[in-house]
Amino acid sequence: MLRSVFLAILVTVTTNTAALAHHGLAAYDMSKSVTIKGVVTEFSFINPHAAIYLVVKDDKSNTEKWMVEADSPNNLARAGWTRNTIKPGQEISVVGNQMKDGSKILRLQKILLADGKELRPREGNEY
């Protein structure tokens, strides 16, 4: 009996950890795009997903911290990105899909730089 309980707990913990480790796109509202404009505080060009951290002003001029999840550095590199493509202090606009729970997290579709240049996370610019 004790062995069965232990096995059930082990399977539950292992399954839940694996599900949290890689959520794919299921956590994002892929039915609509959101655009935010802010100042980059950090660009983390590491596996499994690169991330861009921004300070964004809401419609009442309050600041909010946002995180933008991008593809893996390998995929970004194939699209021409480097660890220096996005720099702290840079003002950018980001188009992406927000988390379904309303968290200040986007899945990257594209970035619009101040000079009008557009960056996409995938080779060939498809998404």
Side-chain angles (χ1 to χ4, degrees), residues 26-105:
Y28 296 95
D29 182 353
M30 301 304 287
S31 69
K32 64 180 176 183
S33 296
V34 174
T35 301
I36 59 172
K37 184 177 183 177
V39 176
V40 176
T41 60
E42 181 184 349
F43 178 42
S44 177
F45 198 69
I46 59 172
N47 283 317
H49 299 280
I52 303 163
Y53 299 88
L54 301 164
V55 173
V56 176
K57 287 191 178 180
D58 68 11
D59 55 355
K60 296 177 184 169
S61 294
N62 298 314
T63 58
E64 303 174 328
K65 292 180 182 179
W66 281 75
M67 193 273 283
V68 180
E69 180 183 12
D71 282 357
S72 70
N74 187 39
N75 285 345
L76 293 174
R78 280 188 257 153
W81 292 51
T82 70
R83 67 180 62 257
N84 297 313
T85 298
I86 304 293
K87 297 177 180 71
Q90 187 174 15
E91 186 172 65
I92 62 173
S93 293
V94 180
V95 179
N97 304 95
Q98 191 170 2
M99 293 282 282
K100 290 177 181 176
D101 68 3
S103 299
K104 306 292 187 217
I105 301 172

Side-chain angles (χ1 to χ4, degrees), residues 100-117:
K100 290 177 181 176
D101 68 3
S103 299
K104 306 292 187 217
I105 301 172
L106 290 183
R107 176 69 180 164
L108 179 64
Q109 287 180 6
K110 67 181 175 179
I111 292 175
L112 304 169
L113 301 177
D115 65 4
K117 184 177 178 184

